[in-house]
Amino acid sequence: MKRLLFLKQAGQFSFYLRLHYHEHGADFMADWLKIPSKKKRREEDIPEPYEIVCVCGVSLSGYRRKKYYRHACLQCDETYFILPRNSYPPPKARKKKKQLPTQQQLSEYILNSSLVTRFLEKRALKKASRKPQETPPQTEATPKVSPYELPPPRTRLITPFRGILAGIALIIGLTAYGIIHSRNLDQASVTLKAATASGEALLKKNDLVGANAAYQEAFQALEILGRDDPTANEIRLTSRELQAINTQAVSPVFEIAEEAISHIKKNDLASWESLFNLRYADTWMIFETTLIPLPVKEVEEDAQTPLFRLNLPIMLDEYTLSLELTSPTFLTYLEQHPGQPLIFAAQIKSFRQEPNQQGAGTILLNGETAFLWSHLKLYEKLGIQFDEFHDRKKIEAMLNQQSQYLGVSK
């Protein structure tokens, strides 16, 4: 009976709902969606901002409204749909389940309990009562080393193992050096033969530039081989003579003197010295003359070295140019044959104006690189012409004498 009454009442309530829905229509559901909680009604006054970045890069921002609306970009006219404010409260946070204490928390809780702390205090008191009275500290006696015990090992810098390793490394290094050095010697000997043959062939063709390059290569090979026999000395001297021929000064001595006069008149001495160093320094000159030793009083104080003046003065109308050679390498030859003419090549070092004479200058020659000439054929390559005043036999005898001094085979 009760069940029938309940079903009857439920049918009447559902009929009432259908009737109310048909009378009011969709307004009923719309009103139902607009029913927020009391808490949400209080939060409606709080603005909800939004910010959107447009495709053109402009930031669009504002506050949400009760209803949706469209926000248009002022730069590119792109429109964006903005959702309304949420009329419902956020879901409630779930209650966290109570976590069971871990084993460490349980052990800490038990140790910190009052019962355990009292027990530990009583135990500490008992141990303190059992300890004897404090005795003054005694100095610890150093234990005696037993005669059957070995002393502690000492760390040594040089040990047998390290010595063996050092010896092996030394042997390997010496072996590698010997192999490389022997290969260099073999290569140098091959280069020497090829370069000498090539240089001689180029000399027969009067190709002085190519012969110079070939003999310079042979000279470097001789330095590696370390040979000092007459044949090696002849190759060295030939390479130096070819170098002097190919790198001669661009102007002869007489033209240098005329150029000095004109330049000093137009400009000054300093500009001429800089131009001279740029144009003529380290170039070669070949002379056939005698050397006159200068007395010590005419030598500079800072350079107490032998100084010789070439017996080749260049005297112009307004200027006198002289040449001086400082400490030549063939000083012994000059002592053995004083006052005799000789043929030698020397590099130009610098230009010096005489301090007391404005119309006189000196060209200083580098005696450290100067050398005596030896080969007549190369001397003839300079364009030397022989006549009754310049006898070829006398020049040949002079060069033979210089070759014997130099230890060159003939």
Side-chain angles (χ1 to χ4, degrees):
M1 192 70 183
K2 291 181 180 179
R3 186 176 181 184
L4 292 172
L5 183 61
F6 174 75
L7 291 173
K8 185 179 181 180
Q9 292 176 356
Q12 292 176 358
F13 180 72
S14 63
F15 174 77
Y16 172 75
L17 287 176
R18 288 195 300 272
L19 180 62
H20 186 76
Y21 179 76
H22 285 294
E23 291 178 356
H24 297 282
D27 295 337
F28 175 76
M29 293 301 295
D31 294 338
W32 180 76
L33 291 172
K34 292 181 181 179
I35 302 175
S37 64
K38 294 180 180 180
K39 184 177 180 182
K40 185 63 182 175
R41 288 196 196 99
R42 291 193 297 270
E43 292 178 354
E44 282 182 356
D45 298 333
I46 301 173
E48 295 183 10
Y50 69 90
E51 185 176 2
I52 303 172
V53 180
C54 184
V55 292
C56 64
V58 178
S59 178
L60 307 176
S61 61
Y63 295 94
R64 300 184 186 275
R65 302 176 185 177
K66 291 182 179 181
K67 294 183 178 181
Y68 66 88
Y69 68 100
R70 299 179 184 278
H71 192 159
C73 179
L74 298 177
Q75 184 170 345
C76 63
D77 296 334
E78 182 73 20
T79 58
Y80 295 89
F81 183 81
I82 307 301
L83 294 173
R85 289 186 298 182
N86 187 15
S87 60
Y88 287 92
K92 295 181 181 180
R94 295 182 180 180
K95 293 182 180 180
K96 294 183 180 180
K97 295 181 180 180
K98 292 183 179 180
Q99 295 181 356
L100 297 174
T102 59
Q103 185 177 1
Q104 184 178 2
Q105 292 176 350
L106 288 172
S107 60
E108 290 180 354
Y109 176 75
I110 294 170
L111 290 174
N112 294 329
S113 62
S114 60
L115 182 63
V116 175
T117 52
R118 289 176 185 175
F119 175 75
L120 294 175
E121 289 177 356
K122 290 181 181 180
R123 188 175 180 182
L125 291 173
K126 287 182 180 180
K127 286 184 178 180
S129 62
R130 291 176 184 175
K131 286 183 179 180
Q133 296 181 356
E134 294 182 357
T135 56
Q138 297 179 357
T139 57
E140 295 182 358
T142 56
K144 295 182 180 180
V145 180
S146 174
Y148 300 101
E149 295 179 0
L150 294 175
R154 296 180 181 179
T155 57
R156 292 183 298 175
L157 182 62
I158 300 174
T159 60
F161 180 70
R162 292 178 181 176
I164 293 170
L165 288 179
I168 293 172
L170 181 62
I171 292 171
I172 293 172
L174 292 175
T175 305
Y177 173 77
I179 293 171
I180 295 171
H181 185 64
S182 63
R183 289 181 180 178
N184 291 336
L185 292 177
D186 295 340
Q187 184 66 31
S189 61
V190 173
T191 304
L192 177 63
K193 293 179 182 179
T196 305
S198 175
E200 291 177 356
L202 291 171
L203 276 177
K204 292 179 181 178
K205 297 178 182 180
N206 292 326
D207 186 2
L208 298 179
V209 177
N212 180 32
Y215 269 96
Q216 293 302 321
E217 191 176 355
F219 181 86
Q220 295 176 0
L222 284 174
E223 293 298 317
I224 296 173
L225 294 172
R227 288 176 52 181
D228 196 17
D229 52 284
T231 305
N233 293 335
E234 185 176 358
I235 295 172
R236 286 193 181 95
L237 192 56
T238 304
S239 65
R240 298 185 70 182
E241 290 176 357
L242 286 170
Q243 184 182 9
I245 292 173
N246 285 276
T247 57
Q248 289 186 84
V250 294
S251 301
V253 182
F254 295 96
E255 293 183 5
I256 294 174
E258 293 177 355
E259 187 179 1
I261 294 171
S262 61
H263 195 88
I264 292 172
K265 284 182 178 180
K266 292 179 181 180
N267 301 295
D268 55 356
L269 179 63
S271 63
W272 163 245
E273 289 179 352
S274 61
L275 179 63
F276 181 86
N277 293 331
L278 181 64
R279 185 175 296 178
Y280 300 108
D282 295 332
T283 58
W284 289 86
M285 280 190 169
I286 303 166
F287 302 98
E288 181 185 344
T289 183
T290 56
L291 295 179
I292 303 171
L294 295 178
V296 181
K297 62 181 180 179
E298 296 185 13
V299 182
E300 297 179 358
E301 295 180 358
D302 297 336
Q304 296 294 334
T305 55
L307 185 64
F308 295 86
R309 177 168 292 173
L310 278 69
N311 190 12
L312 189 64
I314 301 167
M315 303 178 68
L316 301 177
D317 295 337
E318 301 176 359
Y319 203 81
T320 302
L321 184 65
S322 59
L323 295 98
E324 294 181 358
L325 182 66
T326 58
S327 184
T329 56
F330 45 87
L331 186 60
T332 308
Y333 181 84
L334 295 175
E335 294 175 355
Q336 295 176 359
H337 309 280
Q340 290 187 9
L342 69 159
I343 301 172
F344 68 96
Q347 281 182 303
I348 298 174
K349 189 175 182 182
S350 61
F351 179 85
R352 181 183 65 189
Q353 180 71 37
E354 295 296 333
N356 299 327
Q357 300 176 4
Q358 296 297 328
T362 303
I363 295 177
L364 295 177
L365 303 175
N366 190 359
E368 295 179 357
T369 58
F371 63 91
L372 293 174
W373 205 268
S374 176
H375 297 90
L376 180 61
K377 291 183 180 180
L378 291 178
Y379 190 60
E380 291 176 349
K381 300 291 184 182
L382 298 172
I384 304 297
Q385 295 181 359
F386 300 102
D387 51 19
E388 55 183 6
F389 299 101
H390 194 222
D391 191 8
R392 190 178 189 277
K393 293 183 179 179
K394 290 183 179 179
I395 299 299
E396 187 176 2
M398 186 191 308
L399 293 176
N400 290 334
Q401 184 177 345
Q402 292 180 176
S403 300
Q404 291 177 3
Y405 169 78
L406 294 171
V408 177
S409 62
K410 287 292 181 180

